Amino acid sequence: MSQDFLTQLEKHLPQPIRKLITDAGKKACEMGMELYLVGGTVRDLFLGSTNFDLDLVVEGDAIELANELAKDSQAKLTIHPRFGTAKLSFTDFSLDLATARSETYSKPGALPTVRPGTLKDDLFRRDFTINAMAVCLVPQRFGELIDLYRGKDDLEHRLIRILHPNSFTDDATRILRALRYEQRLGFKLEPETESSLRQNIAMLDTISGDRIRHELELISKEKEPERVLRRADELGVLNRLHPSLRGNGWLGEMFSKARQFAQRVSLSVLYLCLFVYRLTKQENDEFISRLNFPKASAQAMCHTLKLKAQLPVLTTPGLKPSDIHQLLRGYAPPAIQTNALATESPVASQRLHFYLSRLRYMRPALNGEDLQRMGIPAGPQIREVLQILHRARLNGEAQTRQDEERLVRIWRQTTSGTKVDTE
Ligand code: CTP
């Protein structure tokens, strides 16, 4: 077994990281502590994939050990004494050290009560068997696998399995985590786990909006988040977050378009706006309030629906670029991008793309100071002329600085009532 793991370690962790964890194991041993690699890193190493966010559990004092390790390295050390955790950040990877702990839940959905504990306690508090394996790092036992819940078997059989029947009741965020791992890894929920998940969907009501939102953010970082959302829809999980949310084929099509065409917009925000695209304003407001979305995301979501309602205006024949700019300039870019992807109107889509790729960046060459130098007094007139120049730029009527200067001269002569030569 240990040989098995050491081979994976050789293959998937670069030498500097291997040296670091070996040295950390030696140091822990000198200090009379036990040290283990745990969780996602062990899982991913067995699956043959690379994971440079290493989680270490210390039977002893994680902060003391981290302090010692930091002395001999260039790493940046961050400590959280309240949680008994420390992080060593290197340029390309990080080591998280935590003092082994046990967790108990006073009531469903409550944050757990944490006490120092043994490795066994620490593994028992975890979500799924495949995340509850540890590998010993102290010299005498280096590479020894501790697999109390047969996580390795479940990895081999490609199963997501909870450790005990109360798992989803204790912490219903695990419902979303289970679906995320299932779809990411191409695994299946083990039948009893699936049945427990189905029975406990209502437990999502015990979880705060912030924590559910955090899980959705993690889902949005997956390669194909739509797979998780489709599964969540099938199982009735989305319905519990809001009865109108859907994760069906349309969403998948849109997410995949978003990955292809997103222009300087965060993909997670875009996914979110597409997720609410088919909600009514009221449903969207309810969802925002349930998940306590921060201002910027909430604004992008609301703008998405507001703009969707305005799209017929955007298809009016003969709109000039300046009209398009005028219509769209108040909307958050992710809302515009979402509508560009999701609308069924080719004209609206083309105009939204035109705004995003060109119009929103166009500015006059002349600024307020240039205008004053040309004799326009400081004050509202400057603003008026800048707007004229901006419109002219957008509509292609001014393409050079000289074109703009000519327009300024015309404006001056017209406002002062003098006849001008427009050449
Ligand atoms: N964990 C848990 N229950 C949660 C959150 C986390 O039991 N609600 C445990 C899991 O055992 C997990 C570990 O804490 O392996 C670390 O959590 P996280 O960083 O979210 O998971 P990783 O496996 O490290 O990362 P990834 O999501 O990439 O797999």
Side-chain angles (χ1 to χ4, degrees):
M1 193 70 88
S2 84
Q3 202 48 44
D4 194 5
F5 184 76
L6 291 177
T7 316
Q8 295 300 90
L9 208 65
E10 288 271 316
K11 239 171 108 186
H12 299 288
L13 284 188
Q15 206 275 336
I17 304 187
R18 292 204 306 269
K19 177 167 174 354
L20 186 76
I21 58 175
T22 311
D23 292 349
K26 284 183 193 152
K27 183 66 80 182
C29 185
E30 283 165 28
M31 296 172 76
M33 303 181 191
E34 298 286 341
L35 183 67
Y36 303 90
L37 189 61
V38 292
T41 327
V42 177
R43 177 197 69 218
D44 289 343
L45 279 168
F46 276 126
L47 287 172
S49 52
T50 310
N51 182 341
F52 291 167
D53 295 325
L54 306 189
D55 284 319
L56 304 183
V57 163
V58 186
E59 273 184 333
D61 186 331
I63 295 179
E64 233 179 86
L65 176 61
N67 269 318
E68 279 302 310
L69 294 174
K71 279 186 194 160
D72 306 333
S73 79
Q74 306 285 321
K76 181 179 156 241
L77 173 68
T78 323
I79 56 170
H80 298 285
R82 249 187 77 206
F83 302 105
T85 61
K87 189 181 192 85
L88 288 167
S89 306
F90 297 81
T91 324
D92 302 320
F93 62 97
S94 60
L95 269 193
D96 278 296
L97 291 99
T99 306
R101 62 185 197 247
S102 77
E103 288 182 351
T104 44
Y105 293 84
S106 58
K107 62 175 182 5
L111 287 175
T113 311
V114 176
R115 289 191 193 82
T118 59
L119 175 74
K120 199 172 161 195
D121 296 324
D122 202 283
L123 296 179
F124 183 67
R125 74 178 175 85
R126 289 170 188 264
D127 48 7
F128 309 113
T129 59
I130 59 166
N131 288 340
M133 291 180 280
V135 171
C136 192
L137 297 179
V138 297
Q140 301 297 321
R141 296 166 58 208
F142 192 86
E144 179 187 317
L145 176 68
I146 293 103
D147 183 13
L148 307 175
Y149 305 99
R150 304 170 67 90
K152 188 129 188 296
D153 276 358
D154 284 338
L155 271 186
E156 271 152 27
H157 294 102
R158 309 175 77 77
L159 292 173
I160 306 293
R161 185 196 304 266
I162 44 178
L163 305 193
H164 55 83
N166 292 334
S167 191
F168 292 126
T169 326
D170 284 346
D171 177 1
T173 63
R174 290 175 178 162
I175 293 176
L176 292 161
R177 292 177 64 85
L179 306 186
R180 182 157 60 85
Y181 289 120
E182 185 195 44
Q183 297 305 312
R184 181 204 295 173
L185 303 172
F187 282 23
K188 281 257 144 289
L189 297 177
E190 172 278 330
E192 281 183 27
T193 297
E194 177 167 343
S195 127
S196 173
L197 185 150
R198 285 178 186 275
Q199 279 165 28
N200 283 299
I201 286 172
M203 284 295 158
L204 282 166
D205 295 357
T206 65
I207 305 293
S208 71
D210 288 343
R211 291 185 66 209
I212 295 196
R213 198 182 68 243
H214 176 64
E215 292 304 325
L216 284 188
E217 281 159 9
L218 292 176
I219 291 172
S220 78
K221 291 187 184 132
E222 293 292 319
K223 241 192 201 151
E224 294 180 275
E226 62 269 29
R227 295 166 61 96
V228 185
L229 297 177
R230 192 181 53 218
R231 182 78 164 122
D233 191 358
E234 276 164 25
L235 289 164
V237 171
L238 288 190
N239 191 54
R240 201 74 206 178
L241 302 186
H242 192 288
S244 303
L245 288 171
R246 291 288 164 268
N248 56 10
W250 181 89
L251 197 70
E253 207 183 296
M254 289 304 133
F255 275 25
S256 132
K257 262 170 98 176
R259 284 192 288 277
Q260 268 177 280
F261 299 115
Q263 295 170 329
R264 301 184 186 200
V265 171
S266 135
L267 206 47
S268 334
V269 183
L270 206 50
Y271 286 149
L272 186 60
C273 294
L274 286 166
F275 195 38
V276 298
Y277 190 75
R278 290 170 295 172
L279 301 188
T280 64
K281 180 181 177 319
Q282 190 190 333
E283 291 162 350
N284 187 41
D285 290 345
E286 288 161 0
F287 182 56
I288 289 173
S289 139
R290 167 69 181 99
L291 266 63
N292 193 26
F293 278 101
K295 214 166 152 201
S297 315
Q299 188 195 50
M301 294 156 83
C302 292
H303 279 195
T304 297
L305 299 193
K306 208 167 137 196
L307 177 57
K308 184 183 171 191
Q310 281 295 307
L311 286 189
V313 184
L314 195 67
T315 58
T316 313
L319 281 189
K320 288 188 189 167
S322 58
D323 300 326
I324 298 175
H325 188 276
Q326 177 70 21
L327 272 168
L328 297 179
R329 67 189 189 137
Y331 290 97
I336 301 176
Q337 180 90 73
T338 302
N339 276 279
L341 293 168
T343 178
E344 286 177 6
S345 156
V347 175
S349 176
Q350 184 265 328
R351 288 176 169 169
L352 291 161
H353 278 302
F354 183 39
Y355 175 84
L356 281 174
S357 59
R358 298 277 309 281
L359 299 182
R360 69 169 156 157
Y361 301 116
M362 290 171 84
R363 301 275 180 281
L366 299 179
N367 60 28
E369 280 174 23
D370 297 323
L371 297 185
Q372 284 185 48
R373 263 198 300 277
M374 291 179 74
I376 299 177
Q381 289 182 327
I382 297 273
R383 208 178 111 117
E384 187 187 333
V385 178
L386 283 175
Q387 280 172 351
I388 291 171
L389 296 180
H390 191 202
R391 270 200 301 275
R393 271 281 166 182
L394 292 166
N395 294 335
E397 294 150 7
Q399 292 176 3
T400 62
R401 194 180 171 92
Q402 287 71 32
D403 291 344
E404 290 184 13
E405 285 168 351
R406 184 174 52 86
L407 286 174
V408 175
R409 282 197 298 275
I410 295 172
W411 181 86
R412 279 186 58 203
Q413 312 258 357
T414 327
T415 49
S416 63
T418 322
K419 189 168 179 314
V420 281
D421 175 5
T422 57
E423 289 309 305

